[in-house]
Amino acid sequence: MKRVLVTGSSGCLGQALVAKLLVHPLIGRVAGLDTAPLTLSSEKFKACPGDIRDEFLLRSILEEEQIDTIFHLAYLTNEPR
C-alpha cells in the first residue's frame, strides 16, 4: 500500500486530489501538509499543519508516516517579492 503526502492539501486542486486518493484501493495512507490544514474524517487521512519550507517538519512527516510518494501542490499566494 502506498503512503502519500500532498502538499497544499487545502487548496482547490489539493482537496480534489486528496478525495481521489482516499478512495483509491492502492493508497493506504494520505498525509496533507498545508498552512491551513484540511479537516477530513477518514482513518486514511492525517492533517499536518505547517509550512513546506520548514525542513525539520517535512523530514519528520516523511519519516513518521513512512511516505513513499509526494504530490507537491503547495505555493505561496502573498509572498513579498
Side-chain angles (χ1 to χ4, degrees), residues 7-43:
T7 66
S9 59
S10 70
C12 185
L13 288 175
Q15 288 183 39
L17 178 59
V18 167
K20 294 290 185 183
L21 291 171
L22 288 174
V23 297
H24 195 285
L26 297 178
I27 305 297
R29 182 76 159 164
V30 178
L33 174 62
D34 205 315
T35 54
L38 183 60
T39 55
L40 288 174
S41 58
S42 172
E43 293 180 12

Side-chain angles (χ1 to χ4, degrees), residues 1-75:
M1 292 292 222
K2 292 287 186 182
R3 300 177 72 80
V4 178
L5 171 66
V6 178
T7 66
S9 59
S10 70
C12 185
L13 288 175
Q15 288 183 39
L17 178 59
V18 167
K20 294 290 185 183
L21 291 171
L22 288 174
V23 297
H24 195 285
L26 297 178
I27 305 297
R29 182 76 159 164
V30 178
L33 174 62
D34 205 315
T35 54
L38 183 60
T39 55
L40 288 174
S41 58
S42 172
E43 293 180 12
K44 289 173 62 172
F45 181 76
K46 179 179 180 183
C48 302
D51 193 315
I52 187 71
R53 298 172 293 179
D54 184 343
E55 182 181 345
F56 178 76
L57 173 64
L58 183 58
R59 285 182 185 269
S60 66
I61 293 169
L62 294 175
E63 289 176 13
E64 288 173 14
E65 298 298 317
Q66 299 175 350
I67 300 297
D68 55 38
T69 305
I70 300 173
F71 291 94
H72 180 51
L73 304 176
Y75 64 95

